[in-house]
Amino acid sequence: MIHSTRKIELAENQTVLKEIFEKQGVKVAEDEKIVVLNPTNEFELEGETYIAGRAEPKTSKFDPRTIFFKKVGEHWEPQPGPVFKMEDPSITKIGDEFVLCGVEIEIGVMSRFQQLITGDKVGLKVTSWRTAFYKGKTLDNLVRFAEGPAGMKDVRLAKLPNGKIGVYTRPQGLKKGGPGQIGFTIIDKLSDLNAEVIKNAPLLNTRFPEGEWGGTNEPTVLPDGRVFVLGHRAYYDKNKNRHYYPWAFIHDPKTGEITDLGILAERSDFPKGPAKRRDLVDILFSAG
């Protein structure tokens, strides 16, 4: 089914975005653009509508910041604070608190061979990452309360009808997850969330086939208690180019049953546009 769409322009106010990065100690060239991607769902706070997005200079992937945007009329205005040094945010309301999570990255030096393969002129690479969690009743009092295991992103929370919290994970590695599968566990309260709980979450009954990986981007609890999981599904081709697809399924936390709705769209369904790197041409990524 084709639905009506609207474009949300989050990178419109470049002046304010660059001022935010300058205050963060990140120098941005006058002719360089700050891009904003992988936004959260919209949420309401004190009568205002907000969204959070991953912002970074167009030529760099090593200075991501999570920035909040407030809807003012038909425009989205970047807010000067708070700002978090992390990428790919997600925000969930648990009780009377907002829970913000995002991916913190560590940077290392890329080998000459890797530079040739990726075409990256900077010579740096992301060596590790983890998901960090913040909570608070307002955006100004968000405090860090938990973090996931090293090497795991795409950890998402869902407030279940019985008051408990569903935790969707994305383990990787030879022992569990391969290039990336989806796990799930249930906790009683936010204070129970920690790296061990996330690491030990069992995998869902449905698996990505060999050579593919994926993760959860946004879980939404349905009126019947099941969860609509918006996610992504991906693979490498023989030339090590990445291919990403928005993908969704419905998960019953009580029974574990998965209804696979499948791939929602692909990059070729949309007008042509610039790619971040030459191995990222066929990327369509679902977010909030």
Side-chain angles (χ1 to χ4, degrees):
M1 297 175 63
I2 299 176
H3 292 259
S4 61
T5 63
R6 61 191 175 99
K7 182 179 180 180
I8 296 179
E9 179 56 73
L10 297 178
E12 191 173 40
N13 197 330
Q14 287 290 302
T15 300
V16 175
L17 286 171
K18 289 181 179 179
E19 288 175 354
I20 292 172
F21 271 79
E22 290 285 338
K23 289 181 180 178
Q24 290 284 306
V26 180
K27 297 294 182 182
V28 182
E30 188 174 340
D31 60 345
E32 184 171 20
K33 184 178 181 180
I34 302 291
V35 296
V36 184
L37 60 157
N38 298 357
T40 68
N41 55 311
E42 297 177 14
F43 62 95
E44 303 293 324
L45 176 60
E46 298 178 346
E48 304 284 0
T49 302
Y50 293 87
I51 204 167
R54 166 184 172 178
E56 61 191 26
K58 190 172 183 179
T59 60
S60 174
K61 58 182 178 180
F62 307 113
D63 292 307
R65 294 295 188 276
T66 287
I67 295 175
F68 288 99
F69 297 78
K70 183 169 73 172
K71 191 173 185 181
V72 181
E74 296 301 315
H75 300 280
W76 292 85
E77 293 297 328
Q79 303 300 292
V83 177
F84 296 86
K85 192 176 180 180
M86 60 188 191
E87 59 187 34
D88 301 343
S90 175
I91 196 157
T92 309
K93 192 75 178 293
I94 306 289
D96 61 350
E97 292 185 302
F98 291 98
V99 178
L100 173 72
C101 68
V103 179
E104 296 178 338
I105 59 174
E106 296 179 11
I107 307 302
V109 179
M110 185 182 292
S111 70
R112 180 57 181 163
F113 176 74
Q114 290 171 320
Q115 283 184 262
L116 292 172
I117 292 295
T118 62
D120 197 319
K121 298 178 181 179
V122 179
L124 299 176
K125 64 177 180 178
V126 177
T127 57
S128 185
W129 53 87
R130 70 173 68 244
T131 303
F133 297 87
Y134 295 79
K135 66 178 181 178
K137 295 183 178 180
T138 69
L139 302 185
D140 291 325
N141 68 4
L142 293 171
V143 294
R144 189 181 183 114
F145 73 98
E147 62 182 35
M152 189 183 296
K153 56 177 69 175
D154 301 328
V155 182
R156 297 291 185 263
L157 307 181
K159 179 67 179 296
L160 302 178
N162 61 5
K164 296 187 177 183
I165 302 166
V167 184
Y168 290 90
T169 69
R170 199 195 115 180
Q172 293 175 284
L174 295 175
K175 293 183 179 180
K176 181 181 179 181
Q181 297 287 349
I182 298 177
F184 179 76
T185 190
I186 296 176
I187 58 177
D188 292 327
K189 53 189 181 300
L190 285 176
S191 58
D192 294 335
L193 187 69
N194 58 55
E196 282 301 307
V197 166
I198 295 171
K199 180 180 178 181
N200 293 328
L203 296 179
L204 293 180
N205 294 328
T206 298
R207 308 279 196 276
F208 295 108
E210 185 177 354
E212 293 189 13
W213 70 88
T216 299
N217 294 59
E218 183 69 29
T220 301
V221 179
L222 302 175
D224 64 4
R226 295 183 301 164
V227 183
F228 177 86
V229 181
L230 177 65
H232 60 277
R233 186 170 177 173
Y235 72 95
Y236 282 114
D237 64 23
K238 62 182 181 180
N239 296 317
K240 291 299 181 181
N241 295 314
R242 302 173 194 236
H243 302 266
Y244 272 77
Y245 303 89
W247 173 71
F249 62 92
I250 292 177
H251 172 227
D252 189 332
K254 292 182 179 179
T255 66
E257 182 183 9
I258 299 290
T259 304
D260 189 346
L261 301 183
I263 290 171
L264 305 179
E266 58 184 282
R267 181 65 185 87
S268 61
D269 293 328
F270 295 84
K272 292 183 178 181
K276 191 174 182 181
R277 295 197 314 263
R278 65 187 182 187
D279 63 324
L280 301 177
V281 173
D282 187 25
I283 303 292
L284 189 61
F285 195 77
S286 55

